[in-house]
Amino acid sequence: MTATRIALALLGSALLPQISAQPYDEPDRGQPGDQMIQDYLRLETEKVEADFLGAIKSAEEWNLARPRFREEYFDMLGLWPLPERTPLHATITRTLERGDYVVEMLHYQSRPGLYVTANLYRPAKVEAGQRLPGIVYVCGHSGRGRNGNKTAFQSHGIWFARHGYVCLVVDTLQLGEIAGIHHGTYREGRWWWLSRGYTPAGVECWNGVRGIDYLVSRPDVDSERIGVTGISSRSTVMARPGRVCIDG
């Protein structure tokens, strides 16, 4: 070890006792204006919560309005009417065995010619005929080059597999293995996309919907126990009533 490294190590050890994390559950009020910001956010949250559903005051009223809200939601995504559920042509290109879990590298077509790359994580040992709960994990926008942004979140897929789930971690366009422009309106000024009824969010949503379809098609997945989670805005995925739990 060089003298410089020894000096840095000693300096670091000397500073450690002075470094402490913010106590758990204690709000940050160290800067001028912090309390004002917290009070403002609390008041705004109370306003939203007080009239969250507007004129809807019961489950019955919600069930009557729900079909219209659902149609409006998909229309805003450029997905109404919903595209045809064409054959997925799912293909597993490689399988990796990692002791207590297995990784399947695969791709499927959410629409003809629109390939979605993904890694599927599952437990290594499953009883014959056992059907496990499935998870679609939608990645955030994390550039990882040719291997796809799914590799940034592989520890999450491993966690699900080790806890008895079949987890499909799905790439996003542009930052995954599939080339394309995802940030067209954000970065490229392609506002004409909207007039054509196209939105990047809609494409990612549909890719996730077909990811659910793929999980349901597998013999080792329980179609009545499907969940969705992920990072960032890609957690927007269509839910199948009574089947899918969505978590952002």
Side-chain angles (χ1 to χ4, degrees):
M1 180 180 287
T2 66
T4 301
R5 290 181 179 178
I6 293 174
L8 289 173
L10 291 174
L11 178 60
S13 62
L15 291 175
L16 283 176
Q18 305 174 25
I19 301 175
S20 60
Q22 177 177 308
Y24 178 75
D25 234 10
E26 183 175 320
D28 188 353
R29 300 290 187 274
Q31 300 297 322
D34 281 349
Q35 186 62 52
M36 184 185 302
I37 293 173
Q38 293 295 329
D39 289 342
Y40 168 78
L41 293 175
R42 176 178 54 80
L43 292 172
E44 290 301 307
T45 301
E46 290 175 353
K47 291 179 185 178
V48 172
E49 185 177 5
D51 194 36
F52 180 67
L53 292 176
I56 298 176
K57 303 300 180 184
S58 67
E60 291 76 14
E61 292 176 344
W62 164 252
N63 287 329
L64 288 174
R66 184 176 180 274
R68 176 172 60 84
F69 290 152
R70 184 173 181 271
E71 180 177 333
E72 290 177 354
Y73 172 67
F74 284 121
D75 186 61
M76 287 187 290
L77 289 174
L79 290 176
W80 192 261
L82 288 173
E84 178 186 356
R85 278 183 157 86
T86 51
L88 288 168
H89 299 298
T91 303
I92 297 173
T93 59
R94 189 181 179 189
T95 300
L96 302 177
E97 297 185 4
R98 290 294 184 262
D100 56 347
Y101 68 92
V102 175
V103 185
E104 296 178 0
M105 301 178 180
L106 60 91
H107 58 73
Y108 59 88
Q109 296 181 44
S110 62
R111 301 184 74 171
L114 178 55
Y115 286 81
V116 182
T117 49
N119 286 347
L120 182 134
Y121 299 80
R122 58 178 174 83
K125 296 182 180 179
V126 180
E127 296 179 6
Q130 185 179 5
R131 299 173 74 88
L132 303 175
I135 294 289
V136 173
Y137 189 100
V138 286
C139 298
H141 294 87
S142 177
R144 287 296 186 274
R146 182 64 177 80
N147 289 329
N149 61 341
K150 60 184 176 299
T151 59
F153 311 103
Q154 56 188 311
S155 62
H156 300 187
I158 293 170
W159 185 95
F160 277 111
R162 284 176 169 169
H163 286 79
Y165 294 83
V166 176
C167 180
L168 183 69
V169 183
V170 184
D171 264 334
T172 184
L173 294 176
Q174 186 170 332
L175 297 176
E177 294 184 66
I178 303 301
I181 301 297
H182 177 90
H183 293 121
T185 54
Y186 166 69
R187 184 177 298 164
E188 307 295 334
R190 299 183 178 183
W191 298 103
W192 50 268
W193 278 4
L194 303 181
S195 65
R196 294 288 299 272
Y198 172 87
T199 68
V203 174
E204 300 294 358
C205 178
W206 189 246
N207 288 351
V209 169
R210 300 314 312 277
I212 295 174
D213 290 341
Y214 171 69
L215 282 180
V216 169
S217 73
R218 291 179 59 101
D220 56 351
V221 173
D222 183 351
S223 63
E224 297 299 324
R225 293 187 294 166
I226 302 291
V228 177
T229 189
I231 299 294
S232 189
S233 59
R234 286 202 70 222
S235 296
T236 304
V237 178
M238 186 183 78
R240 291 185 173 204
R243 289 187 175 180
V244 179
C245 171
I246 294 185
D247 171 34

